[in-house]
Amino acid sequence: MDTMITVENLTKRYGDYVALDDVSFTSKPGRVTGFLGPNGAGKSTTMRIIAGLTPATSGTATVCGSSYRDIHNPATEVGVLLDASAQHAGRTGAEILRLSAMTLGVGRTRVDEMLEMVSLTAEESRRRVRNYSLGMRQRLGIANALLGDPQILILDEPANGLDPAGIHWMRTLLRDYADRGGTVLLSSHLLHEIEIIADDLVVIGQGRIVAQGTKEELLAGNGTRVRSLDDDALLQAMTAAGIVARPVIEGGFLADVAPEDIGRLAARIQIPLVELRPGDGANLEQMFLDLTAATAREGSATQGAPQ
């Protein structure tokens, strides 16, 4: 069975606002895919479309080779946690899981197994969800997502509200799940955690994919770091020469060619360089800030827009 998540040319418009613009990526079995981007970049919208909650304007999103809405008993194939707060506040944790188990057609023993797996005690499971902390709601939401023993997990900010021990528990759980052949698509703003757990990265900014690949590929120090006394003129010259270069947060650019190519170009157009060296291996936070710098500067313009 195809246990991939496949997103192809996904576009979503709300009137004149383009929330997603031709987004394509895959999330593969046995791997954790980290889905990163600033607030308002389109992460939640993408995940809601994959989970059949929001219709796309155009493009497709499939899980297990089908649209989520076309899967007969979807929670037995795809576990979803998009908003841990959106659980019935008046019911107990155990009641919520038992109702889900009845809907899915799984036995009550599975409820007890899931409560134990997410470390909710018998006393806590009898407490009403309105009295749960956010971290407890996250644990309950993950138990619900795993109840049908799915092959795919889609989790939007699952570490919100978890303490350091809870985050470590989450990391171990998801790593074990992927190592057993499961597919994990995980969004988070906790970049350090993504850097530890993710195998593949998809970075989105202003509704467009700005980078994707394996973690090793994206964090490798490929290319050339260059800074000059006239960066605007240098960028114009690199663009005219067909060299792809992106601005970096400390100033200058990371270009996709060797240092000697940039050196020759700068000499030809007589722009003095103040920095020219092979690119460093980056950490995820630095890469994220570099890739989304333009989005962050324009973030105020997107406030209030759907995510």
Side-chain angles (χ1 to χ4, degrees):
M1 186 178 69
D2 179 3
T3 55
M4 280 206 309
I5 300 170
T6 305
V7 174
E8 293 181 318
N9 308 116
L10 208 58
T11 296
K12 178 63 179 177
R13 294 188 184 89
Y14 295 93
D16 293 335
Y17 175 68
V18 181
L20 296 177
D21 187 1
D22 199 30
V23 167
S24 298
F25 66 89
T26 59
S27 184
K28 297 174 184 146
R31 301 180 72 81
V32 177
T33 301
F35 193 27
L36 304 173
N39 288 339
K43 300 188 302 297
S44 295
T45 299
T46 303
M47 290 178 136
R48 287 180 61 82
I49 291 172
I50 296 170
L53 296 171
T54 296
T57 303
S58 61
T60 60
T62 58
V63 283
C64 303
S66 303
S67 165
Y68 185 92
R69 289 171 175 265
D70 294 335
I71 300 172
H72 170 60
N73 193 356
T76 61
E77 296 186 29
V78 187
V80 179
L81 175 60
L82 299 185
D83 183 0
S85 298
Q87 298 176 89
H88 196 300
R91 292 199 174 110
T92 68
E95 284 170 348
I96 285 173
L97 291 184
R98 282 199 295 268
L99 285 167
S100 293
M102 288 165 59
T103 304
L104 297 178
V106 301
R108 281 186 65 161
T109 56
R110 182 74 178 162
V111 171
D112 296 331
E113 288 169 13
M114 290 300 96
L115 286 169
E116 184 176 350
M117 190 192 69
V118 301
S119 301
L120 285 174
T121 66
E123 187 276 326
E124 287 169 338
S125 75
R126 292 192 294 269
R127 207 181 294 172
R128 297 197 185 280
V129 170
R130 71 165 58 92
N131 299 316
Y132 276 20
S133 67
L134 178 56
M136 289 170 68
R137 290 182 193 219
Q138 292 285 17
R139 289 175 183 268
L140 179 63
I142 288 165
N144 219 343
L146 288 170
L147 197 60
D149 196 22
Q151 286 298 298
I152 292 176
L153 274 180
I154 299 171
L155 307 173
D156 193 4
E157 298 283 3
N160 272 1
L162 293 178
D163 59 17
I167 290 173
H168 182 267
W169 163 81
M170 167 88 64
R171 186 196 308 155
T172 304
L173 173 79
L174 297 182
R175 184 72 267 159
D176 289 349
Y177 179 89
D179 288 346
R180 292 195 308 271
T183 301
V184 180
L185 177 62
L186 167 72
S187 87
S188 180
H189 67 281
L190 300 175
L191 300 182
H192 176 64
E193 289 308 313
I194 290 282
E195 189 162 5
I196 291 172
I197 193 175
D199 303 298
D200 302 307
L201 299 172
V202 177
V203 187
I204 189 170
Q206 290 185 304
R208 285 176 170 262
I209 301 297
V210 294
Q212 62 178 303
T214 68
K215 179 171 62 180
E216 289 72 25
E217 286 169 350
L218 292 185
L219 298 185
N222 295 331
T224 296
R225 284 292 294 270
V226 60
R227 196 156 46 96
S228 75
L229 295 180
D230 189 348
D231 277 349
D232 289 341
L234 178 62
L235 178 60
Q236 194 172 358
M238 288 191 293
T239 303
I243 296 170
V244 176
R246 55 182 174 83
V248 294
I249 213 82
E250 307 90 6
F253 305 95
L254 182 61
D256 68 350
V257 294
E260 53 266 32
D261 295 325
I262 299 290
R264 286 193 206 96
L265 175 65
R268 192 167 69 244
I269 59 177
Q270 297 186 321
I271 292 180
L273 300 181
V274 295
E275 182 179 14
L276 181 67
R277 59 182 174 82
D280 300 321
N283 65 27
L284 183 56
E285 182 175 32
Q286 187 63 56
M287 186 202 74
F288 178 86
L289 291 172
D290 290 347
L291 287 171
T292 60
T295 307
R297 282 196 299 270
E298 296 163 21
S300 58
T302 62
Q303 284 180 0
Q307 290 186 21

